[in-house]
Amino acid sequence: MSDSMKLARLIDFFKGNDDATTITQEEIIDDVVIDYITFDSRAVKANTLFICKGMNFKTSYLNDAIDQGAVAYLAEQDYGVAIPGIIVEDIRLAMAKLANFFYQSPWQDVAISGITGTKGKTTTAGFVNQILTLDSQEKAQSLPGFISSTFNYDGLEKTPSTLTTPEAMDLYEMLATMRDHNVTRATMEVSSQALKYHRVDDVQMRVVAFLNISPDHISPVEHPTFTDYFQSKLQIFEHGKVAVINEDTDHFEDILKAAKSAKNIERIVTVSRKNPTADYFADELTINDATQHFMIRNQGKTIPMKLNVLGHFNINNALVAAAIARENDVAWSTIQQALGQAKTDGRMEIYRSQDNQLTFVVDFAHNKISFEELFSSVKEMAPDNDLRIVFGSAGGKAENRRPDMGHVAGLNTNEIYLTSDDPNFEDAYKIMAEIEEAIYEMNPTAKVRSNLDRTGSIYMAYKDAIASGKPTTIVVAGKGSEDTIKINGRDEFYVPDFEYVQQLIAFYEFKGRI
């Protein structure tokens, strides 16, 4: 299907919806054809409609776009250039409407499962994608689409992600590519920012899932209050037919009420580890090394499950994934096989020395709820081990994470190593100092070491563990499988946590042989 449209038709669309306040250079629009839409001046090509967005937008970006082939623009002001402009009051609202119209509502042809929550979006989306992939292979169908914070797959190519949920123009282009390549199912992480800032405004999904909620992303550039964050998350119910909700989350009754009041929600499905009356209930949990075994009880059936990822919260994630899969007509046998093989890079990855003296746990945990679950799981896995943790916090966003994680760390261990984690334009020492203050509020006797060098901090924890002579678990949190740290707007490469800890294990084993 060709994504090409006359500019005059786009302008008629905006006029018909009373969205355009002004059209500039309207006398020259008749023969202008739009083949492509973007807000990135570096991606402009011939016959592009260029979108002028962002607090730091400069006229030079538009001029560059014109030089590269832009033939019209969408903006909140008239920039007085020689190409036609569509001037609107709210660029984010206009972007979503434009994307839906230009790409002809591609979501209608793709059954989307959208997942939101403070913790577990990526893991749960990964579980669902692995289930749907196996199901598609068994049925000789096109592989499912995938939109996440780790990578995107649009039916044509797999690309790295830059946002949890893409901007509207990119999102709709991906969905259109899926449609054009006969991709009939897709899984998508849906962030609070995407819901608040209209990236998914017109997208309707087969299933929407709400995993959990706790204070996060509270900052001047994200959500000013928890209420704003929570209300943004709840908007996901406006986009689905079936709602899957984790009963074990805080604020469950508020979430359930929002789902019930959403006009388009036709059915609500619940999952739980605590309530046997939930639609999907997990019990008989046992842990064998790094594998969890449990039973799922659903509609009178009892289905034995295996999950090669630790953490009780991952049982809830697996329950949600199973519920979503069943809504996509996947057989229980396929769900069992896929979850039994499931693995998510950088999430609860465990590396042990042969003598069990040294255990590393690498995880993306980077907020209060994920820290609480991480410590709980690690202590359950090895209750007699000494416990050390290496972590930091990102700069320029979610400032509430710093005291939250400091408090949780201080309550759970005396051995804490603070380090760099995407400080960006903030002073990393200032971030570490804020975390350290929170640690001492909970644990005045904690031993805190600070080191900007992330691998150096991990090595320090390793050396101290060896010197103690005690079986030790070292948790390395926040970055998982990522191989860059954002500093002053640039992505600086470094050895990923999971690779570095494997090197340390190998070094430890080698030393033991000489």
Side-chain angles (χ1 to χ4, degrees):
M1 187 177 294
S2 174
D3 294 317
S4 184
M5 193 173 290
K6 287 240 181 176
L7 177 60
R9 186 179 172 198
L10 286 174
I11 289 174
D12 286 344
F13 168 74
F14 276 102
K15 284 182 175 179
N17 287 281
D18 295 323
D19 291 320
T21 59
T22 310
I23 306 296
T24 70
Q25 307 287 349
E26 191 165 5
E27 67 278 4
I28 61 172
I29 67 171
D30 287 347
D31 297 322
V32 178
V33 174
I34 303 300
D35 293 328
Y36 185 60
I37 302 174
T38 185
F39 52 81
D40 185 349
S41 59
R42 298 165 297 181
V44 171
K45 49 195 176 186
N47 298 327
T48 289
L49 172 64
F50 183 66
I51 298 170
C52 307
K53 80 168 190 72
M55 292 178 60
N56 299 315
F57 185 82
K58 300 175 183 177
T59 307
S60 61
Y61 300 157
L62 176 55
N63 290 328
D64 290 343
I66 293 171
D67 290 341
Q68 296 299 318
V71 292
Y73 70 97
L74 180 76
E76 291 180 351
Q77 68 180 72
D78 180 357
Y79 283 97
V81 293
I83 61 173
I86 304 172
I87 314 305
V88 296
E89 290 186 0
D90 188 325
I91 193 69
R92 289 189 173 276
L93 275 170
M95 281 172 62
K97 292 180 179 180
L98 170 62
N100 190 49
F101 183 68
F102 182 75
Y103 289 110
Q104 302 167 62
S105 305
W107 47 267
Q108 292 180 335
D109 299 303
V110 183
I112 301 169
S113 299
I115 301 165
T116 200
T118 300
K119 172 183 171 55
K121 292 188 299 297
T122 303
T123 298
T124 307
F127 288 167
V128 175
N129 186 55
Q130 289 170 82
I131 295 169
L132 295 184
T133 296
L134 180 59
D135 186 58
S136 296
Q137 291 168 340
E138 291 173 345
K139 296 174 179 175
Q141 297 174 345
S142 298
L143 293 180
F146 192 55
I147 297 172
S148 77
S149 58
T150 53
F151 71 89
N152 300 315
Y153 176 69
D154 62 5
L156 185 63
E157 61 180 346
K158 180 178 176 179
T159 56
S161 299
T162 56
L163 292 170
T164 300
T165 312
E167 292 283 3
M169 304 313 308
D170 293 337
L171 172 60
Y172 275 89
E173 184 180 13
M174 289 178 196
L175 293 175
T177 304
M178 291 180 198
R179 173 197 61 202
D180 297 345
H181 288 83
N182 300 313
V183 173
T184 58
R185 299 181 296 188
T187 309
M188 179 168 68
E189 290 183 54
V190 186
S191 68
S192 59
Q193 298 284 294
L195 291 160
K196 179 176 180 177
Y197 293 116
H198 310 292
R199 294 179 201 163
V200 296
D201 266 14
D202 288 308
V203 178
Q204 291 300 305
M205 309 175 199
R206 172 182 286 182
V207 186
V208 292
F210 202 112
L211 299 176
N212 46 59
I213 190 73
S214 67
D216 196 22
H217 296 287
I218 313 301
S219 74
V221 297
E222 295 176 287
H223 298 278
T225 63
F226 174 69
T227 298
D228 182 77
Y229 173 59
F230 192 12
Q231 292 303 314
S232 296
K233 287 281 193 190
L234 291 175
Q235 290 179 40
I236 196 167
F237 295 123
E238 299 170 11
H239 298 272
K241 291 183 178 180
V242 178
V244 177
I245 307 174
N246 171 24
E247 283 197 30
D248 301 337
T249 179
D250 291 344
H251 305 283
F252 168 66
E253 292 300 330
D254 293 327
I255 297 165
L256 181 63
K257 181 180 178 181
K260 287 180 175 179
S261 64
K263 294 179 180 178
N264 47 290
I265 293 293
E266 299 171 359
R267 189 157 48 87
I268 297 172
V269 176
T270 59
V271 311
S272 179
R273 285 186 295 109
K274 301 175 182 179
N275 181 7
T277 66
D279 296 301
Y280 293 78
F281 173 63
D283 65 355
E284 297 188 31
L285 170 63
T286 60
I287 298 175
N288 179 11
D289 195 23
T291 302
Q292 300 189 95
H293 297 265
F294 57 100
M295 297 291 180
I296 294 181
R297 305 187 188 277
N298 169 249
Q299 295 183 340
K301 295 179 181 179
T302 300
I303 304 99
M305 304 297 296
K306 180 181 78 170
L307 192 64
N308 293 319
V309 187
L310 286 182
H312 289 166
F313 56 93
N314 280 318
I315 302 296
N316 291 81
N317 293 339
L319 284 170
V320 171
I324 291 172
R326 293 295 291 162
E327 295 297 328
N328 279 274
D329 302 316
V330 180
W332 274 113
S333 58
T334 303
I335 296 170
Q336 283 176 301
Q337 183 180 344
L339 286 179
Q341 300 168 343
K343 182 177 181 293
T344 307
D345 289 343
R347 285 170 166 80
M348 287 302 295
E349 293 197 273
I350 299 166
Y351 305 93
R352 285 195 182 95
S353 62
Q354 292 180 15
D355 62 6
N356 287 321
Q357 280 288 107
L358 190 63
T359 301
F360 280 100
V361 178
V362 177
D363 192 75
F364 270 109
H366 57 268
N367 56 30
K368 181 181 180 182
I369 187 174
S370 59
F371 256 46
E372 289 172 339
E373 295 280 10
L374 176 59
F375 275 110
S376 174
S377 298
V378 168
K379 287 181 174 182
E380 183 176 19
M381 176 184 71
D384 298 325
N385 278 19
D386 276 4
L387 181 56
R388 300 169 188 268
I389 185 167
V390 182
F391 73 100
S393 190
K397 61 181 181 179
E399 295 171 7
N400 64 300
R401 289 177 181 171
R402 301 168 195 178
D404 285 349
M405 292 191 298
H407 289 155
V408 176
L411 286 170
N412 283 278
T413 181
N414 286 319
E415 307 291 341
I416 300 170
Y417 303 78
L418 298 179
T419 191
S420 182
D421 181 346
D422 295 327
N424 206 358
F425 294 104
E426 267 200 83
D427 181 352
Y429 285 107
K430 172 180 172 290
I431 295 172
M432 289 190 292
E434 291 176 17
I435 299 172
E436 184 173 3
E437 181 181 357
I439 291 168
Y440 287 132
E441 287 175 0
M442 295 293 108
N443 186 352
T445 63
K447 188 175 180 182
V448 181
R449 301 87 157 169
S450 297
N451 186 346
L452 277 186
D453 179 5
R454 192 170 178 88
T455 53
S457 210
I458 297 169
Y459 182 68
M460 189 185 304
Y462 163 82
K463 269 205 325 180
D464 291 346
I466 300 303
S468 76
K470 300 176 182 178
T472 302
T473 301
I474 301 173
V475 177
V476 185
K479 297 289 288 179
S481 58
E482 294 177 1
D483 62 0
T484 62
I485 291 181
K486 190 172 286 296
I487 300 173
N488 293 324
R490 294 170 57 91
D491 289 329
E492 305 285 349
F493 285 96
Y494 82 109
V495 180
D497 295 347
F498 78 101
E499 286 188 12
Y500 187 64
V501 302
Q502 289 179 81
Q503 293 173 14
L504 289 178
I505 292 282
F507 179 65
Y508 174 82
E509 303 287 8
F510 176 76
K511 285 184 69 177
R513 296 196 298 268
I514 59 175

